Amino acid sequence: MGGDDPRRQVPRTDDMLADPRLAEACSRLGRPLVKQVIAGVQELVRTGTLPPGDVVEESARALPATAATLRPVVNATGVLVHTNLGRAPLSTAAVTALIAASGTTDLELDLATGRRGRRGKGAVDALCAAVAAAQAALIVNNGAAALVLVATALAQGKEIIVARGELVEIGDGFRIPDLLVSTGARLREVGTTNRVAFEDYAAAVGPDTGFVLKVHPSNFVVRGFTSSVEVRRLSALAVPVVADVGSGLLVPHPAIPDEPDVQSTLAAGAALVTASGDKLLGGPQSGLILGSPELVEILRRHPLARALRVDKLTLAALEATLRGPRPPVSQALEADTDRLRERARRLAARLQDRGIPASAVDSAARVGGGGAPGVSLASAAVSLPSAYAAALRTGQQPVLARIERDRCLLDLRALDPQTDDVLHVAVTAAQLSMAAAVEGEAATLNQAGLTRRD
Ligand SMILES: *Cc1c(COP(=O)(O)O)cnc(C)c1O
C-alpha cells in the first residue's frame, strides 16, 4: 500500500451509493441499512484487511437478503418441530396465501353485499371442515392464549380441576399452572404426580367448578406405576371438560399412535379442545379452540378475545395450510425411510467427491417440543466431523445440525429433497471456511460478518 494512510484510500459513501447494485439496495432495504453495511466494509479497508478497490464489491455481497434480521435456517437437526427455529415451516400454499393477504384484503368485508363480514370466517370454516366433530371454532394467538381465554371466560373466580401429573412446564420457564392462575381462576389439583383416578375428579366437582382440564404431557413421558383418566370417562361429570391436546394433530396419525388428536378428543366428549397451530398441524403460530358452539360463542364475545385475536397473515396461512397440500411437517412425518437413506447416500457421495469426509448413516429423528414425546422416527443423515457444526451454523446459508457422539449429523427427515442441493453448497462452503480458518484469515472475515466466496 506504499505506506499511505489507509483512511485516505477509503472510498466515500456517497460515491459508493452511485453503484447500481447499492442504489437498488437502497430502495429495497432502505438507505440507513445499506449505509450501515458499507460502514462495516469501509472499516475493513481502514484496518488494512481489504484492498480499497474491493469495497463496492464486498459491500454488495454483504447486503442482507431482507430488511429484517431474521434469517432462514436449514433445520438438519432431525427435530421436526423445532421451537428455536420457529416451529413449523409453512407450506408453499400458506406462503402464497399470506403474501396475497398482506396488502389490503377483504378481511372483514363481504364483497358480494358490501357489508361487514366476519373476520377469519374462511379459516374457521376450514378448521371445522377438517374436524368432523367440531361444531364451532375460534382462532387466537397461540396455544397459551387459547388456555388463558378459556380459563378467564369459564373459570375466573372459580376452580379448574386438574391432575397433579398434568401441571406442565411448556418451555422457557413458562408453566401452564401459572398461566391459569394468572387469569384469576383457582387450581383444584387432584391425584398425585404419577396417578389420578376418576373418583378424585368426581370428589372435587362442586358449585365452584368452572371446568375440568386435561393437559396432554406433550414434552415428557411418565413410566411405571401410573394412571390417568381419559376424556371419555371425565365427560360423565356434570361440568365441561376442556382438553389441551397441545400439538394440533387434527385426526389420528399412524406414525404417532399415542398422540391425542382433536377429532378423537371431541368425539370422546370434550366440550372444548385447545391446541397450537404451528406444531404438528404445520401452520402459522396460532391457538385453536374447537368444540361446543355455546362455549365458543361465550369465548368469542369475551373482551379478552379481542386482545388475543390473530392478524390477517395468520388467518390466510392457517386456512391455506388446512385447505392446501400436505404441509412440510406432515411430509416429514410421513417421509419414507428408504428414500431418506438413498438421499443421504447420494449427498455423502457428492461431498466425498469434493474431498469431504462425509458418510451416510442411520439416524433417529423426533417430533420435538411439538408433541409425541419419546417417539423415535427412523431417519437417515450425512455424518461429518464435529467441527463442521459451527462452520455450517455461521455460514452464508446457516444450517443447524445435530451433534451426536462427537459427530456432526445432517438429518434429512425434516427437509424436502430439494434442500439436499442447499446442503451440498453449505457443506462445501463450510469446508472452505474451515480451510481458511487454518490459514488464519477466516477470523477477520467473520468479525466483519462476511463469508468467503464459494
Ligand atoms: C405447546 C403447548 C402449549 C403452548 O402452546 P403455544 O402455542 O406454544 O402457546 C400448551 N399446552 C400444551 C400441551 C402444549 O404442548
Side-chain angles (χ1 to χ4, degrees), residues 355-438:
I356 295 169
S359 58
V361 296
D362 279 353
S363 161
R366 311 185 272 121
V367 169
V375 173
S376 167
L377 304 162
S379 186
V382 170
S383 170
L384 294 162
S386 60
Y388 272 84
L392 284 165
R393 200 183 63 240
T394 52
Q396 182 115 42
Q397 166 57 72
V399 174
L400 196 66
R402 181 165 90 241
I403 297 284
E404 206 171 275
R405 278 180 265 118
D406 212 27
R407 295 291 291 172
C408 167
L409 296 188
L410 301 178
D411 190 302
L412 300 183
R413 183 173 273 277
L415 302 171
D416 70 21
Q418 285 102 291
T419 314
D420 295 356
D421 285 339
V422 178
L423 287 177
H424 183 257
V425 171
V427 174
T428 311
Q431 181 203 31
L432 287 176
S433 81
M434 289 193 302
V438 173

Side-chain angles (χ1 to χ4, degrees), residues 87 142-145 147 170 176 215-216 218 244-247 276 278-279 286 369:
R87 290 195 180 155
N142 58 13
L147 276 174
I170 324 168
I176 285 181
V215 181
H216 175 52
S218 57
D244 173 16
V245 299
S247 80
S276 299
D278 55 352
K279 295 178 177 174
S286 48

Side-chain angles (χ1 to χ4, degrees), residues 84-384:
N84 299 159
L85 297 180
R87 290 195 180 155
L90 293 180
S91 66
T92 310
V95 173
T96 309
L98 86 78
I99 290 171
S102 63
T104 42
T105 180
D106 58 345
L107 179 65
E108 295 184 7
L109 181 73
D110 182 342
L111 287 172
T113 62
R115 296 220 184 84
R116 189 189 180 110
R118 181 171 283 194
R119 182 188 177 91
K121 183 174 185 309
V124 164
D125 288 351
L127 204 48
C128 290
V131 180
Q135 289 182 277
L138 184 66
I139 299 158
V140 291
N141 186 50
N142 58 13
L147 276 174
V148 163
L149 181 56
V150 173
T152 308
L154 306 183
Q156 197 166 52
K158 293 180 160 186
E159 287 180 353
I160 299 173
I161 301 176
V162 61
R164 285 208 166 80
E166 296 176 10
L167 296 173
V168 177
E169 176 168 322
I170 324 168
D172 196 23
F174 288 100
R175 296 172 169 177
I176 285 181
D178 298 344
L179 198 71
L180 296 171
V181 168
S182 77
T183 68
R186 294 189 302 278
L187 291 190
R188 178 78 179 260
E189 299 175 23
V190 294
T192 61
T193 307
N194 56 328
R195 288 176 73 85
V196 63
F198 176 78
E199 291 69 29
D200 296 320
Y201 286 97
V205 171
D208 274 358
T209 306
F211 58 89
V212 168
L213 178 65
K214 246 330 256 173
V215 181
H216 175 52
S218 57
N219 53 10
F220 68 101
V221 199
V222 187
R223 281 209 196 82
F225 185 53
T226 64
S227 73
S228 61
V229 185
E230 294 190 348
V231 168
R232 187 172 300 286
R233 216 46 226 292
L234 293 176
S235 66
L237 298 168
V239 292
V241 175
V242 176
D244 173 16
V245 299
S247 80
L249 189 66
L250 296 183
V251 294
H253 196 289
I256 40 176
D258 294 332
E259 187 67 14
D261 64 281
V262 177
Q263 165 66 23
S264 309
T265 309
L266 284 174
L272 291 174
V273 171
T274 67
S276 299
D278 55 352
K279 295 178 177 174
L280 284 172
L281 178 66
Q285 180 190 303
S286 48
L288 317 177
I289 307 171
L290 302 96
S292 144
E294 295 76 29
L295 294 182
V296 167
E297 192 55 21
I298 291 172
L299 303 180
R300 210 176 63 78
R301 290 277 110 220
H302 193 281
L304 191 57
R306 175 57 193 253
L308 303 177
R309 80 177 188 185
V310 291
D311 73 328
K312 58 189 177 180
L313 304 181
T314 300
L315 290 169
L318 181 61
E319 182 177 356
T321 302
L322 292 162
R323 292 194 200 276
R326 279 186 318 158
V329 170
S330 308
Q331 293 186 29
L333 195 57
E334 290 154 25
D336 176 64
T337 311
D338 286 335
R339 282 275 302 126
L340 295 174
R341 290 200 181 102
E342 180 51 35
R343 283 170 55 192
R345 271 197 295 272
R346 214 176 310 151
L347 180 55
R350 285 170 69 197
L351 292 169
Q352 283 161 16
D353 288 345
R354 306 284 297 248
I356 295 169
S359 58
V361 296
D362 279 353
S363 161
R366 311 185 272 121
V367 169
V375 173
S376 167
L377 304 162
S379 186
V382 170
S383 170
L384 294 162

